[in-house]
Amino acid sequence: MFVTRFAPSPTGRLHKGHAFSALTAWRAAKDAGGRFLLRIEDIDPTRCRPEFEVGIFEDLAWLGLDWETSVRRQSDHLTDYAAVVETLDRHGLLYRCFRTRKEILDAIGDAPHGPAEAARPGPHPVEEEARLLAEGRPFAWRLSLDRAREALGGAAWDGLKFIEEGLGPDGETGRIKVRPETAGDVVLARKDAGTAYHLAVTHDDALQKVSHVIRGQDLFEATHIQRLIQALMGWPAPVYRHHRLLAGPDGRRYAKRDRSVTLAELRAGGLTPDRLRAELTP
């Protein structure tokens, strides 16, 4: 069964880039006679807002999309992600990292072999970790690539691949060798936040039996570490289909941080959903 999803974060109103991605996934599901899911990825309590979630439903309905109910909201399932963290920790694949974001960024600037080297800080010495825990210092759970490679075995690690039916940013397609080292020892959870993106998205794709992940090329590199998590947890690997990123008249891709014109603003200006759908044909 062909199952795909659109999984926005409610950190702002949707823009044309979101509409293009949602339509691309929705059309693929319709063409395959499959299922289209909507998932709300709201694990960041500092940026996600209820009014933006409401806006997502309004915008997608106006666009003419339909989806299965009920919609999975990640903030309702933090215990699920905590269980995954516990499993990975029990297998010795995680370590506590007390370094701040600034310290990591400073280390990236000083790393002789590039950012990925600095993003693998490694565990603290036992005595130092015990002291920091006693002080109540906040920490992040990082996935150790060294331990992951040991757990999988060299042959499985070297043979890890994913299927790309679309195109990566440099034209990558077909069977892609997984290169998790490019991301370093990624953060999978923080003490003050139950989960991070890579863990939550791979968990939910497995839980919801997503067969095809259809999303923008800006997330292509994330596939490498997500495929590793799937292998470590014994989760199935979906097929990936990354699509081009929609750009505005100035050549810059649409993004919330650049205050791109929203679908709500386009709607208020008289744009019809039929016209937008025709404009966003792949």
Side-chain angles (χ1 to χ4, degrees):
M1 170 66 73
F2 187 106
V3 183
T4 192
R5 44 61 166 187
F6 177 59
S9 296
T11 57
R13 292 301 296 253
L14 301 185
H15 51 62
K16 276 188 179 181
H18 294 117
F20 179 70
S21 191
L23 274 168
T24 300
W26 181 81
R27 285 166 170 157
K30 294 296 182 183
D31 290 346
R35 300 167 55 205
F36 175 73
L37 310 177
L38 175 62
R39 180 194 305 154
I40 302 298
E41 298 195 339
D42 59 343
I43 56 175
D44 185 347
T46 63
R47 298 175 59 225
C48 295
R49 300 180 187 173
E51 61 267 30
F52 293 146
E53 181 178 331
V54 171
I56 289 170
F57 288 94
E58 290 176 350
D59 291 339
L60 296 180
W62 170 78
L63 197 56
L65 273 60
D66 57 342
W67 53 87
E68 293 187 6
T69 56
S70 59
V71 172
R72 184 175 176 86
R73 182 183 295 105
Q74 288 186 334
S75 62
D76 293 337
H77 302 280
L78 296 180
T79 55
D80 292 352
Y81 312 129
V84 179
V85 172
E86 182 180 349
T87 297
L88 292 171
D89 183 43
R90 188 169 63 249
H91 286 88
L93 298 170
L94 306 181
Y95 64 88
R96 294 183 182 89
C97 178
F98 294 83
R99 297 166 181 86
T100 65
R101 288 184 176 91
K102 183 180 184 305
E103 289 170 338
I104 295 294
L105 289 173
D106 289 344
I108 287 174
D110 295 336
H113 302 295
E117 177 192 28
R120 299 181 64 182
H124 296 261
V126 174
E127 298 81 2
E128 181 183 3
E129 181 180 59
R131 177 180 59 80
L132 294 171
L133 282 172
E135 292 175 0
R137 288 274 296 275
F139 63 85
W141 285 110
R142 287 186 179 270
L143 175 64
S144 169
L145 293 186
D146 290 337
R147 297 175 187 174
R149 183 186 183 104
E150 183 179 348
L152 289 179
W157 176 278
D158 293 338
L160 202 57
K161 293 179 173 62
F162 65 90
I163 302 299
E164 175 60 60
E165 288 188 344
L167 290 174
D170 294 320
E172 302 95 334
T173 193
R175 293 178 64 84
I176 308 295
K177 185 180 186 322
V178 172
R179 296 176 291 106
E181 66 276 4
T182 60
D185 291 353
V186 296
V187 171
L188 294 187
R190 297 185 184 277
K191 182 180 179 182
D192 55 350
T195 187
Y197 165 71
H198 290 299
L199 187 147
V201 71
T202 49
H203 173 277
D204 288 356
D205 284 343
L207 178 73
Q208 296 184 294
K209 295 180 170 58
V210 171
S211 66
H212 288 69
V213 172
I214 301 173
R215 60 189 183 185
Q217 290 175 338
D218 55 327
L219 290 170
F220 178 82
E221 292 300 326
T223 311
H224 293 278
I225 199 68
Q226 291 168 12
R227 182 67 190 92
L228 174 60
I229 295 170
Q230 291 158 358
L232 292 171
M233 291 299 299
W235 293 334
V239 171
Y240 290 86
R241 190 182 296 178
H242 291 89
H243 58 71
R244 65 184 176 90
L245 300 176
L246 208 64
D250 59 359
R252 300 176 64 183
R253 74 179 182 91
Y254 291 103
K256 291 176 184 176
R257 64 177 176 273
D258 294 332
R259 300 185 180 276
S260 297
V261 176
T262 67
L263 298 185
E265 290 169 331
L266 293 172
R267 183 162 65 247
L271 182 67
T272 66
D274 287 344
R275 181 179 170 187
L276 182 59
R277 284 162 63 114
E279 178 185 337
L280 298 181
T281 300

